[in-house]
Amino acid sequence: MPKEIGIWCRPGSSKRGGPIDSAAPPSSLRHARDPPVVCRASCGCACGSGDFALLGGYGCAGRTFRLGHKATVAEFAKLTEMSASAARATTVTAFKTLVEFRGEWLAKTFLARQADKFCPLCLLEDGSRDAWRQQLIWCFEPVHRCLKHGVWLEHLEHPVLDLREGLARLEPHSARLADEASPSYLHWLDHRLSDAMRGGTDWLERQDLQQVLDASLMIGAVMNNGHKVRPQTLAPQAREAAVETGFRIYSLGPAAITAALDDIRNASPARAVQAGPLSRYGALHDWLDRRCNARDPGPIRDILRDHIVQHDAVDAGEVVLGIEIAQRRFHTIQSLAEASGIERRRLSRLLQKLGMVPTGASDAESGLLRFEVAAVSVVLTDFKTAITFNEVPDYIGASLRQTQALYSAGFLAPLFPVDAPGAVRNQVFARRSLDAFLARLAVLPEIDAPAVVGLQTIAYACQRGAGTTVDVIDLIFKGELRAFRRSGPPAFDKVLVSPAEALALRAA
């Protein structure tokens, strides 16, 4: 485990309705009992605060207290007669790039271990300079206003360990009133900080503070400021507005987040066929893909990955936000062309004939379309296994003339529909479609031809005046004319009917 380099944070907003002193600051030791006479002005330790020197007189090492060591914090709680849980609730311990706070691992930039913001009206209420307190909620980066007074927090020129060291004098008249109502995420954070332990099954309760507020910031920043926004460069007021926009969406759960991703994607200025997720989702994708690998960003990464896979033609084996995609779900015209070996423009025209691409769509327009793999794979298989018209008679067991009659009557459907004479040259037929026609013949009762007297082929019945091939097959499919078939694989020339019955039906 890395060496602890944390600091015990002064008390902060621990209950709804305003900050209170949930844990006494080190200076309260002056009033806990009769301490050794130590003057703050004459006793400056390494951190510049005489308060920590007071701890030594009670067997509580100031240095380890400042580093956030749990044992020293527990000793401090005992000395000040406060609960150990309250002391732990305001303890922040850092490990290189992260800090530990109430069991959550947060970025140092998210939860500051030094004082850098303050509310002048809160300090005025604290009283004298020695009584000033750095509130816990001020230490969080997304907090830019005082929830109690509705004023913007002021910033110190340089972060300091003790607020009293960095602020020479207080100027309450400089407080800047915030015009809008306090954002909802600040109330949520204040409520969350009031509970030392996290629990429940609520969507937000299952995530740590930074996961919720970072995701809210990125969603809101892109929605408010565009895909190329750099949240770190936004003014505090703009950052607060971004977090609030995102939090109102994020707090509703995955369904609301997915709807927001739809809006973000639709608002993208990228219109090129080759536009990828970065151009579609902007800074949100950049953050989840490259800029938050030091810690788990939470469920937002999985939600965005699912959204990308559902809307983009992601190939199997491609890595999206750190996870390899096992199966392709969608195709584009380009990926279909590569998979089928058909030239892209020709494939686009063929898909227009099938009604899968709008008629007259340009290359750019058709290139933006996506097709479900399950549906389009059937079309590709049909195309690859299709046969020409001259091969159809042998496939179904009919003569060329019978095949032409069945095709003209619509019993045999070509792969590409014909809406006008000559619209499709070199017409082909899908084996799947021809198999469906033969399957209708396969349900006919199977008999041995010599066993039944008076049964003949359809061609024989037509020659005896039963009507055309189309007339007879239509009666069979309607169930009006009894029909049988010889044993073996179904074929048109194996269908047997009674010419006498066919003649009677025609005369009726």
Side-chain angles (χ1 to χ4, degrees):
M1 181 66 68
K3 183 179 180 181
E4 293 178 334
I5 53 172
I7 183 172
W8 182 84
C9 228
R10 292 185 184 276
S13 181
S14 59
K15 292 194 181 289
R16 276 183 260 176
I20 67 167
D21 190 358
S22 62
S27 57
S28 65
L29 284 175
R30 292 194 175 105
H31 310 290
R33 64 180 76 172
D34 293 332
V37 179
V38 180
C39 176
R40 175 179 175 82
S42 61
C43 181
C45 62
C47 65
S49 172
D51 287 337
F52 292 113
L54 293 172
L55 295 171
Y58 298 96
C60 185
R63 179 178 179 276
T64 56
F65 177 83
R66 178 163 54 92
L67 296 178
H69 289 192
K70 294 181 180 179
T72 308
V73 172
E75 181 64 22
F76 172 81
K78 181 179 179 181
L79 289 172
T80 56
E81 298 181 352
M82 66 182 296
S83 67
S85 61
R88 288 193 300 269
T90 52
T91 300
V92 179
T93 306
F95 299 88
K96 291 188 177 178
T97 59
L98 300 176
V99 298
E100 188 271 334
F101 173 69
R102 297 184 183 177
E104 299 181 4
W105 291 90
L106 311 173
K108 289 183 177 180
T109 55
F110 180 80
L111 177 55
R113 296 162 47 239
Q114 295 179 305
D116 63 347
K117 293 179 291 189
F118 66 94
C119 170
L121 299 184
C122 284
L123 297 185
L124 185 65
E125 290 181 352
D126 287 342
S128 65
R129 188 167 181 272
D130 284 342
W132 288 353
R133 298 171 299 153
Q134 170 68 15
Q135 296 188 18
L136 177 60
I137 196 170
W138 299 346
C139 299
F140 289 88
E141 190 279 332
V143 177
H144 303 286
R145 74 166 75 193
C146 175
L147 201 55
K148 179 180 181 181
H149 298 104
V151 297
W152 296 110
L153 297 182
E154 301 296 334
H155 287 257
L156 297 175
E157 186 175 352
H158 301 289
V160 293
L161 181 63
D162 191 322
L163 181 63
R164 293 167 295 185
E165 299 170 8
L167 187 60
R169 64 179 183 277
L170 186 62
E171 298 179 359
H173 63 275
S174 65
R176 298 169 296 137
L177 183 66
D179 297 331
E180 302 82 4
S182 298
S184 58
Y185 80 86
L186 280 185
H187 292 280
W188 171 81
L189 177 60
D190 184 50
H191 175 72
R192 179 83 165 245
L193 293 177
S194 69
D195 298 324
M197 299 299 291
R198 206 171 80 235
T201 58
D202 180 72
W203 158 253
L204 297 181
E205 290 299 314
R206 297 195 298 268
Q207 304 172 55
D208 65 42
L209 294 169
Q210 188 170 357
Q211 287 175 341
V212 173
L213 296 179
D214 275 2
S216 299
L217 169 63
M218 297 309 302
I219 292 174
V222 174
M223 297 190 75
N224 288 359
N225 306 97
H227 287 59
K228 296 183 179 181
V229 63
R230 297 174 62 187
Q232 295 77 12
T233 64
L234 295 176
Q237 291 86 344
R239 285 174 67 87
E240 181 186 83
V243 178
E244 178 65 4
T245 297
F247 182 79
R248 289 182 178 275
I249 296 169
Y250 196 81
S251 60
L252 298 178
I257 298 171
T258 300
L261 293 178
D262 289 338
D263 294 338
I264 290 174
R265 185 181 179 90
N266 294 333
S268 170
R271 293 294 180 265
V273 174
Q274 67 273 20
L278 178 59
S279 58
R280 299 291 188 189
Y281 303 95
L284 176 62
H285 180 274
D286 182 57
W287 171 62
L288 290 172
D289 190 41
R290 301 191 301 118
R291 302 186 183 278
C292 63
N293 295 325
R295 64 184 310 277
D296 179 14
I300 182 63
R301 176 178 279 168
D302 294 333
I303 295 174
L304 179 58
R305 183 188 303 111
D306 291 343
H307 199 268
I308 292 172
V309 172
Q310 290 172 5
H311 290 79
D312 288 341
V314 181
D315 198 0
E318 187 174 341
V319 177
V320 178
L321 297 179
I323 298 296
E324 182 176 327
I325 303 303
Q327 186 176 7
R328 177 189 282 274
R329 297 184 59 181
F330 295 97
H331 269 299
T332 62
I333 291 288
Q334 184 61 40
S335 64
L336 269 177
E338 295 171 356
S340 63
I342 307 173
E343 196 273 329
R344 182 173 58 83
R345 289 184 176 83
R346 184 189 177 204
L347 178 62
S348 178
R349 293 193 296 271
L350 295 177
L351 292 178
Q352 288 184 39
K353 293 292 184 181
L354 293 173
M356 300 179 70
V357 172
T359 303
S362 65
D363 285 344
E365 293 170 338
S366 61
L368 295 175
L369 299 176
R370 59 188 178 90
F371 311 91
E372 289 190 14
V373 169
V376 79
S377 60
V378 175
V379 175
L380 288 179
T381 301
D382 287 348
F383 185 82
K384 290 180 178 179
T385 61
I387 60 177
T388 63
F389 181 82
N390 292 334
E391 298 174 287
V392 173
D394 290 337
Y395 194 87
I396 65 173
S399 67
L400 179 61
R401 193 165 184 175
Q402 288 173 326
T403 302
Q404 289 173 334
L406 293 172
Y407 169 60
S408 299
F411 287 105
L412 301 178
L415 178 58
F416 301 105
V418 179
D419 52 7
V424 179
R425 294 175 293 176
N426 301 323
Q427 188 61 272
V428 294
F429 293 77
R431 294 177 187 268
R432 181 172 57 89
S433 176
L434 299 177
D435 290 340
F437 173 78
L438 294 176
R440 301 181 70 180
L441 304 180
V443 301
L444 299 176
E446 184 177 331
I447 62 170
D448 293 328
V452 180
V453 179
L455 295 182
Q456 299 292 339
T457 63
I458 293 177
Y460 184 90
C462 291
Q463 291 173 0
R464 296 297 180 269
T468 64
T469 298
V470 172
D471 294 334
V472 175
I473 198 68
D474 186 50
L475 291 173
I476 293 173
F477 286 160
K478 288 180 178 179
E480 299 176 7
L481 176 63
R482 290 189 309 151
F484 306 87
R485 68 180 179 87
R486 295 192 184 99
S487 60
F492 190 81
D493 57 6
K494 291 183 179 181
V495 178
L496 303 174
V497 297
S498 170
E501 291 183 14
L503 285 168
L505 287 172
R506 186 180 184 190

